[in-house]
PDB file of all heavy atoms in Angstrom:
ATOM      1  N   ARG A 207     -36.704 -15.062  33.541  1.00  0.00           N
ATOM      2  CA  ARG A 207     -37.707 -13.999  33.345  1.00  0.00           C
ATOM      3  C   ARG A 207     -39.072 -14.517  33.720  1.00  0.00           C
ATOM      4  O   ARG A 207     -39.480 -15.578  33.309  1.00  0.00           O
ATOM      5  CB  ARG A 207     -37.690 -13.526  31.901  1.00  0.00           C
ATOM      6  CG  ARG A 207     -36.389 -12.863  31.556  1.00  0.00           C
ATOM      7  CD  ARG A 207     -36.670 -11.677  30.706  1.00  0.00           C
ATOM      8  NE  ARG A 207     -35.414 -11.005  30.434  1.00  0.00           N
ATOM      9  CZ  ARG A 207     -35.270  -9.714  30.566  1.00  0.00           C
ATOM     10  NH1 ARG A 207     -36.264  -8.977  30.954  1.00  0.00           N
ATOM     11  NH2 ARG A 207     -34.132  -9.161  30.286  1.00  0.00           N
ATOM     12  N   ASN A 208     -39.762 -13.725  34.480  1.00  0.00           N
ATOM     13  CA  ASN A 208     -41.098 -14.052  34.915  1.00  0.00           C
ATOM     14  C   ASN A 208     -42.034 -13.024  34.268  1.00  0.00           C
ATOM     15  O   ASN A 208     -41.887 -11.829  34.481  1.00  0.00           O
ATOM     16  CB  ASN A 208     -41.174 -13.967  36.445  1.00  0.00           C
ATOM     17  CG  ASN A 208     -42.521 -14.266  36.998  1.00  0.00           C
ATOM     18  OD1 ASN A 208     -43.534 -13.953  36.398  1.00  0.00           O
ATOM     19  ND2 ASN A 208     -42.550 -14.865  38.170  1.00  0.00           N
ATOM     20  N   VAL A 209     -43.004 -13.517  33.508  1.00  0.00           N
ATOM     21  CA  VAL A 209     -43.922 -12.612  32.797  1.00  0.00           C
ATOM     22  C   VAL A 209     -44.610 -11.664  33.768  1.00  0.00           C
ATOM     23  O   VAL A 209     -44.787 -10.479  33.467  1.00  0.00           O
ATOM     24  CB  VAL A 209     -44.950 -13.417  31.970  1.00  0.00           C
ATOM     25  CG1 VAL A 209     -46.000 -12.518  31.371  1.00  0.00           C
ATOM     26  CG2 VAL A 209     -44.244 -14.217  30.898  1.00  0.00           C
ATOM     27  N   LEU A 210     -44.975 -12.141  34.948  1.00  0.00           N
ATOM     28  CA  LEU A 210     -45.634 -11.259  35.915  1.00  0.00           C
ATOM     29  C   LEU A 210     -44.695 -10.152  36.345  1.00  0.00           C
ATOM     30  O   LEU A 210     -45.098  -8.999  36.452  1.00  0.00           O
ATOM     31  CB  LEU A 210     -46.102 -12.077  37.127  1.00  0.00           C
ATOM     32  CG  LEU A 210     -47.161 -13.117  36.864  1.00  0.00           C
ATOM     33  CD1 LEU A 210     -47.458 -13.921  38.115  1.00  0.00           C
ATOM     34  CD2 LEU A 210     -48.436 -12.467  36.331  1.00  0.00           C
ATOM     35  N   ASN A 211     -43.419 -10.475  36.620  1.00  0.00           N
ATOM     36  CA  ASN A 211     -42.448  -9.449  37.016  1.00  0.00           C
ATOM     37  C   ASN A 211     -42.153  -8.472  35.877  1.00  0.00           C
ATOM     38  O   ASN A 211     -41.916  -7.293  36.131  1.00  0.00           O
ATOM     39  CB  ASN A 211     -41.161 -10.089  37.497  1.00  0.00           C
ATOM     40  CG  ASN A 211     -41.273 -10.655  38.875  1.00  0.00           C
ATOM     41  OD1 ASN A 211     -42.209 -10.376  39.597  1.00  0.00           O
ATOM     42  ND2 ASN A 211     -40.324 -11.477  39.236  1.00  0.00           N
ATOM     43  N   GLU A 212     -42.146  -8.961  34.645  1.00  0.00           N
ATOM     44  CA  GLU A 212     -41.851  -8.072  33.521  1.00  0.00           C
ATOM     45  C   GLU A 212     -42.892  -6.996  33.372  1.00  0.00           C
ATOM     46  O   GLU A 212     -42.615  -5.933  32.816  1.00  0.00           O
ATOM     47  CB  GLU A 212     -41.741  -8.879  32.226  1.00  0.00           C
ATOM     48  CG  GLU A 212     -40.462  -9.680  32.148  1.00  0.00           C
ATOM     49  CD  GLU A 212     -40.354 -10.450  30.850  1.00  0.00           C
ATOM     50  OE1 GLU A 212     -41.140 -10.230  29.934  1.00  0.00           O
ATOM     51  OE2 GLU A 212     -39.451 -11.295  30.762  1.00  0.00           O
ATOM     52  N   ASN A 213     -44.095  -7.217  33.856  1.00  0.00           N
ATOM     53  CA  ASN A 213     -45.160  -6.223  33.785  1.00  0.00           C
ATOM     54  C   ASN A 213     -45.191  -5.308  34.994  1.00  0.00           C
ATOM     55  O   ASN A 213     -45.952  -4.341  35.014  1.00  0.00           O
ATOM     56  CB  ASN A 213     -46.505  -6.923  33.602  1.00  0.00           C
ATOM     57  CG  ASN A 213     -46.592  -7.604  32.256  1.00  0.00           C
ATOM     58  OD1 ASN A 213     -46.093  -7.081  31.260  1.00  0.00           O
ATOM     59  ND2 ASN A 213     -47.184  -8.772  32.226  1.00  0.00           N
ATOM     60  N   ASP A 214     -44.383  -5.586  36.011  1.00  0.00           N
ATOM     61  CA  ASP A 214     -44.346  -4.756  37.189  1.00  0.00           C
ATOM     62  C   ASP A 214     -43.713  -3.408  36.826  1.00  0.00           C
ATOM     63  O   ASP A 214     -42.635  -3.367  36.206  1.00  0.00           O
ATOM     64  CB  ASP A 214     -43.521  -5.446  38.284  1.00  0.00           C
ATOM     65  CG  ASP A 214     -43.410  -4.578  39.519  1.00  0.00           C
ATOM     66  OD1 ASP A 214     -44.315  -4.650  40.364  1.00  0.00           O
ATOM     67  OD2 ASP A 214     -42.425  -3.810  39.622  1.00  0.00           O
ATOM     68  N   PRO A 215     -44.338  -2.286  37.214  1.00  0.00           N
ATOM     69  CA  PRO A 215     -43.807  -0.970  36.836  1.00  0.00           C
ATOM     70  C   PRO A 215     -42.365  -0.710  37.300  1.00  0.00           C
ATOM     71  O   PRO A 215     -41.576  -0.103  36.564  1.00  0.00           O
ATOM     72  CB  PRO A 215     -44.781   0.015  37.486  1.00  0.00           C
ATOM     73  CG  PRO A 215     -46.026  -0.756  37.696  1.00  0.00           C
ATOM     74  CD  PRO A 215     -45.607  -2.173  37.919  1.00  0.00           C
ATOM     75  N   THR A 216     -42.002  -1.157  38.488  1.00  0.00           N
ATOM     76  CA  THR A 216     -40.633  -0.934  38.950  1.00  0.00           C
ATOM     77  C   THR A 216     -39.642  -1.725  38.128  1.00  0.00           C
ATOM     78  O   THR A 216     -38.604  -1.201  37.713  1.00  0.00           O
ATOM     79  CB  THR A 216     -40.504  -1.298  40.448  1.00  0.00           C
ATOM     80  OG1 THR A 216     -41.410  -0.496  41.203  1.00  0.00           O
ATOM     81  CG2 THR A 216     -39.095  -1.089  40.951  1.00  0.00           C
ATOM     82  N   ILE A 217     -39.952  -2.993  37.836  1.00  0.00           N
ATOM     83  CA  ILE A 217     -39.079  -3.822  37.005  1.00  0.00           C
ATOM     84  C   ILE A 217     -38.947  -3.207  35.612  1.00  0.00           C
ATOM     85  O   ILE A 217     -37.859  -3.132  35.036  1.00  0.00           O
ATOM     86  CB  ILE A 217     -39.608  -5.269  36.918  1.00  0.00           C
ATOM     87  CG1 ILE A 217     -39.779  -5.898  38.296  1.00  0.00           C
ATOM     88  CG2 ILE A 217     -38.741  -6.125  35.986  1.00  0.00           C
ATOM     89  CD1 ILE A 217     -38.528  -6.383  38.959  1.00  0.00           C
ATOM     90  N   LYS A 218     -40.080  -2.749  35.055  1.00  0.00           N
ATOM     91  CA  LYS A 218     -40.048  -2.149  33.720  1.00  0.00           C
ATOM     92  C   LYS A 218     -39.166  -0.910  33.682  1.00  0.00           C
ATOM     93  O   LYS A 218     -38.413  -0.682  32.744  1.00  0.00           O
ATOM     94  CB  LYS A 218     -41.464  -1.797  33.269  1.00  0.00           C
ATOM     95  CG  LYS A 218     -42.276  -2.985  32.805  1.00  0.00           C
ATOM     96  CD  LYS A 218     -43.643  -2.567  32.400  1.00  0.00           C
ATOM     97  CE  LYS A 218     -43.749  -2.739  30.913  1.00  0.00           C
ATOM     98  NZ  LYS A 218     -45.112  -2.726  30.406  1.00  0.00           N
ATOM     99  N   ARG A 219     -39.240  -0.073  34.718  1.00  0.00           N
ATOM    100  CA  ARG A 219     -38.429   1.154  34.750  1.00  0.00           C
ATOM    101  C   ARG A 219     -36.947   0.813  34.922  1.00  0.00           C
ATOM    102  O   ARG A 219     -36.089   1.477  34.324  1.00  0.00           O
ATOM    103  CB  ARG A 219     -38.884   2.097  35.861  1.00  0.00           C
ATOM    104  CG  ARG A 219     -40.301   2.646  35.713  1.00  0.00           C
ATOM    105  CD  ARG A 219     -40.587   3.506  34.488  1.00  0.00           C
ATOM    106  NE  ARG A 219     -40.621   2.884  33.208  1.00  0.00           N
ATOM    107  CZ  ARG A 219     -41.663   2.248  32.632  1.00  0.00           C
ATOM    108  NH1 ARG A 219     -42.796   2.105  33.277  1.00  0.00           N
ATOM    109  NH2 ARG A 219     -41.579   1.727  31.435  1.00  0.00           N
ATOM    110  N   LEU A 220     -36.643  -0.203  35.727  1.00  0.00           N
ATOM    111  CA  LEU A 220     -35.237  -0.617  35.863  1.00  0.00           C
ATOM    112  C   LEU A 220     -34.706  -1.148  34.533  1.00  0.00           C
ATOM    113  O   LEU A 220     -33.579  -0.849  34.146  1.00  0.00           O
ATOM    114  CB  LEU A 220     -35.078  -1.667  36.954  1.00  0.00           C
ATOM    115  CG  LEU A 220     -35.177  -1.125  38.389  1.00  0.00           C
ATOM    116  CD1 LEU A 220     -35.248  -2.279  39.367  1.00  0.00           C
ATOM    117  CD2 LEU A 220     -33.986  -0.236  38.705  1.00  0.00           C
ATOM    118  N   GLN A 221     -35.547  -1.912  33.828  1.00  0.00           N
ATOM    119  CA  GLN A 221     -35.133  -2.398  32.506  1.00  0.00           C
ATOM    120  C   GLN A 221     -34.938  -1.222  31.552  1.00  0.00           C
ATOM    121  O   GLN A 221     -34.003  -1.202  30.756  1.00  0.00           O
ATOM    122  CB  GLN A 221     -36.168  -3.388  31.949  1.00  0.00           C
ATOM    123  CG  GLN A 221     -35.741  -4.037  30.659  1.00  0.00           C
ATOM    124  CD  GLN A 221     -34.452  -4.833  30.798  1.00  0.00           C
ATOM    125  OE1 GLN A 221     -34.333  -5.678  31.642  1.00  0.00           O
ATOM    126  NE2 GLN A 221     -33.484  -4.524  29.927  1.00  0.00           N
ATOM    127  N   GLU A 222     -35.801  -0.221  31.670  1.00  0.00           N
ATOM    128  CA  GLU A 222     -35.655   0.973  30.832  1.00  0.00           C
ATOM    129  C   GLU A 222     -34.324   1.680  31.121  1.00  0.00           C
ATOM    130  O   GLU A 222     -33.647   2.127  30.200  1.00  0.00           O
ATOM    131  CB  GLU A 222     -36.823   1.915  31.092  1.00  0.00           C
ATOM    132  CG  GLU A 222     -36.772   3.184  30.287  1.00  0.00           C
ATOM    133  CD  GLU A 222     -37.938   4.123  30.599  1.00  0.00           C
ATOM    134  OE1 GLU A 222     -38.576   3.987  31.641  1.00  0.00           O
ATOM    135  OE2 GLU A 222     -38.172   5.014  29.760  1.00  0.00           O
ATOM    136  N   VAL A 223     -33.952   1.774  32.394  1.00  0.00           N
ATOM    137  CA  VAL A 223     -32.671   2.373  32.752  1.00  0.00           C
ATOM    138  C   VAL A 223     -31.536   1.634  32.066  1.00  0.00           C
ATOM    139  O   VAL A 223     -30.627   2.244  31.482  1.00  0.00           O
ATOM    140  CB  VAL A 223     -32.464   2.420  34.290  1.00  0.00           C
ATOM    141  CG1 VAL A 223     -31.045   2.762  34.662  1.00  0.00           C
ATOM    142  CG2 VAL A 223     -33.439   3.386  34.941  1.00  0.00           C
ATOM    143  N   VAL A 224     -31.576   0.300  32.094  1.00  0.00           N
ATOM    144  CA  VAL A 224     -30.528  -0.503  31.465  1.00  0.00           C
ATOM    145  C   VAL A 224     -30.585  -0.316  29.938  1.00  0.00           C
ATOM    146  O   VAL A 224     -29.544  -0.157  29.287  1.00  0.00           O
ATOM    147  CB  VAL A 224     -30.650  -1.993  31.842  1.00  0.00           C
ATOM    148  CG1 VAL A 224     -29.709  -2.853  31.020  1.00  0.00           C
ATOM    149  CG2 VAL A 224     -30.391  -2.171  33.339  1.00  0.00           C
ATOM    150  N   ASP A 225     -31.783  -0.299  29.368  1.00  0.00           N
ATOM    151  CA  ASP A 225     -31.907  -0.136  27.911  1.00  0.00           C
ATOM    152  C   ASP A 225     -31.360   1.214  27.470  1.00  0.00           C
ATOM    153  O   ASP A 225     -30.669   1.315  26.449  1.00  0.00           O
ATOM    154  CB  ASP A 225     -33.369  -0.258  27.479  1.00  0.00           C
ATOM    155  CG  ASP A 225     -33.912  -1.678  27.573  1.00  0.00           C
ATOM    156  OD1 ASP A 225     -33.092  -2.617  27.725  1.00  0.00           O
ATOM    157  OD2 ASP A 225     -35.150  -1.833  27.536  1.00  0.00           O
ATOM    158  N   VAL A 226     -31.658   2.281  28.217  1.00  0.00           N
ATOM    159  CA  VAL A 226     -31.254   3.631  27.825  1.00  0.00           C
ATOM    160  C   VAL A 226     -29.783   3.901  28.158  1.00  0.00           C
ATOM    161  O   VAL A 226     -29.039   4.413  27.335  1.00  0.00           O
ATOM    162  CB  VAL A 226     -32.155   4.691  28.488  1.00  0.00           C
ATOM    163  CG1 VAL A 226     -31.619   6.105  28.247  1.00  0.00           C
ATOM    164  CG2 VAL A 226     -33.577   4.572  27.980  1.00  0.00           C
ATOM    165  N   TYR A 227     -29.360   3.526  29.369  1.00  0.00           N
ATOM    166  CA  TYR A 227     -28.023   3.853  29.826  1.00  0.00           C
ATOM    167  C   TYR A 227     -27.000   2.734  29.777  1.00  0.00           C
ATOM    168  O   TYR A 227     -25.800   2.976  29.945  1.00  0.00           O
ATOM    169  CB  TYR A 227     -28.078   4.454  31.241  1.00  0.00           C
ATOM    170  CG  TYR A 227     -28.854   5.756  31.274  1.00  0.00           C
ATOM    171  CD1 TYR A 227     -30.130   5.801  31.748  1.00  0.00           C
ATOM    172  CD2 TYR A 227     -28.273   6.923  30.754  1.00  0.00           C
ATOM    173  CE1 TYR A 227     -30.857   6.978  31.750  1.00  0.00           C
ATOM    174  CE2 TYR A 227     -28.982   8.099  30.751  1.00  0.00           C
ATOM    175  CZ  TYR A 227     -30.276   8.132  31.238  1.00  0.00           C
ATOM    176  OH  TYR A 227     -30.984   9.304  31.232  1.00  0.00           O
TER     177      TYR A 227
END
Side-chain angles (χ1 to χ4, degrees):
R207 294 220 178 227
N208 179 326
V209 173
L210 296 175
N211 284 345
E212 286 181 10
N213 293 322
D214 178 86
T216 301
I217 303 282
K218 283 180 111 164
R219 297 297 71 83
L220 285 169
Q221 186 60 54
E222 180 182 19
V223 168
V224 171
D225 289 345
V226 172
Y227 295 104

